[in-house]
Amino acid sequence: MKYFIIYTLLLFSVAQCSNELVFEEQSFQKKTTLPCTGDCPSISVKIPVANAVPVVADSINKKVFSVLKEIIYFGEKPYTSKDYNGLLTSFINSYEKLQKEFPKDKFGWEADIKGSVKYQSENILNIEINHYTYTGGAHGYQGLRSLLFDPNTGKSITNDELFIDKAIFKALAEKKFRAKYKIPASKSINSTGLMFEKEMFQLPQNIFFTDKGLLLYYNSYEVASYADGAKELLLSYTEVNDYLAVK
């Protein structure tokens, strides 16, 4: 045990001296306290928490938490919770309040959020948030969020900052997208049933760096119906490197 503690301290010291981010997974769960049968309303969150480089880690962790506040909420405004335990409690409290107001109705609420470090290099840190929430209705909502950071500063990187010339990259992406989904160049981007706003191709809200290339990911409802599901386009780094301002 003595040697294990020394070894752990050495690893932590090396991480600090090398200024390398270290991530640890933290888990949070909360269930309703109201009587229920079967699958009782609950929420589960697993999230990578950065440490070892205080200022950088703090910036990353704050951004991740702010995004989860956009995902985990019920009503018109996000919760005002200051930490994950408070956020989960607010979600369950919303369910319980609704259940007490309408005791004869059954509400099978559920939320499952999993975060992971999708990609990490000298210049890019990509955290993926895989989330599913259900607060009533015909079906829940599942989606992916991509959070991009400069691992040296902890500052967020926007999609606009990724490209040397976004318009030129978008033209390439549209050509590849049309080829994958068999949309003729002479026809509207929505001619096969897609729902791009103003019938103009747009880059997705979520762009991922992966080991295989740059992934353009359109969540359900972003450009297609729920029934049609998510749409995605993977471009190799050979194809996109010349367009990237950050890589």
Side-chain angles (χ1 to χ4, degrees), residues 147-172:
L147 309 183
L148 299 170
F149 300 94
D150 181 335
N152 302 298
T153 65
K155 292 183 178 180
S156 295
I157 299 174
T158 67
N159 287 352
D160 288 343
E161 293 172 319
L162 287 178
F163 306 106
I164 297 171
D165 189 317
K166 186 178 178 182
I168 293 177
F169 176 79
K170 188 169 75 170
L172 168 72

Side-chain angles (χ1 to χ4, degrees), residues 4-209:
F4 175 76
I5 294 173
I6 293 173
Y7 179 66
T8 302
L9 290 173
L10 284 172
L11 283 178
F12 183 72
S13 177
V14 169
Q16 285 187 313
C17 293
S18 62
N19 288 324
E20 290 184 2
L21 284 171
V22 176
F23 288 89
E24 62 174 331
E25 184 181 86
Q26 292 188 6
S27 299
F28 307 87
Q29 293 88 30
K30 184 82 174 175
K31 289 185 177 181
T32 181
T33 58
L34 297 180
C36 57
T37 58
D39 295 328
C40 295
S42 64
I43 178 171
S44 174
V45 170
K46 292 182 180 179
I47 209 76
V49 177
N51 54 42
V53 188
V55 175
V56 176
D58 186 58
S59 178
I60 293 170
N61 293 334
K62 283 182 178 178
K63 176 62 177 179
V64 173
F65 181 67
S66 71
V67 169
L68 260 69
K69 288 178 69 174
E70 297 172 5
I71 295 171
I72 303 171
Y73 76 94
F74 180 78
E76 297 181 356
K77 297 180 180 180
Y79 299 125
T80 58
S81 311
K82 302 298 182 183
D83 55 37
Y84 287 106
N85 285 317
L87 187 57
L88 271 63
T89 297
S90 294
F91 181 80
I92 293 298
N93 285 347
S94 291
Y95 158 76
E96 294 182 347
K97 179 181 178 182
L98 199 63
Q99 182 64 68
K100 290 173 181 177
E101 290 177 355
F102 304 96
K104 294 183 179 180
D105 293 335
K106 294 183 179 179
F107 304 98
W109 281 29
E110 178 186 359
D112 186 19
I113 292 89
K114 295 182 176 70
S116 60
V117 177
K118 184 80 172 179
Y119 184 88
Q120 190 171 4
S121 69
E122 291 183 359
N123 299 313
I124 284 284
L125 169 66
N126 194 176
I127 293 178
E128 175 188 281
I129 308 294
N130 188 330
H131 58 94
Y132 172 81
T133 54
Y134 177 76
T135 55
H139 52 72
Y141 179 74
Q142 190 277 332
L144 298 179
R145 290 285 298 269
S146 174
L147 309 183
L148 299 170
F149 300 94
D150 181 335
N152 302 298
T153 65
K155 292 183 178 180
S156 295
I157 299 174
T158 67
N159 287 352
D160 288 343
E161 293 172 319
L162 287 178
F163 306 106
I164 297 171
D165 189 317
K166 186 178 178 182
I168 293 177
F169 176 79
K170 188 169 75 170
L172 168 72
E174 179 174 359
K175 181 179 178 181
K176 296 290 184 178
F177 186 92
R178 284 177 176 272
K180 178 176 180 178
Y181 290 101
K182 297 179 173 57
I183 306 171
S186 59
K187 294 188 177 181
S188 163
I189 191 69
N190 292 341
S191 62
T192 60
L194 295 178
M195 301 184 299
F196 279 93
E197 189 174 353
K198 298 180 181 179
E199 296 198 3
M200 296 179 62
F201 177 83
Q202 297 294 335
L203 295 177
Q205 298 173 15
N206 296 283
I207 299 176
F208 293 90
F209 282 75

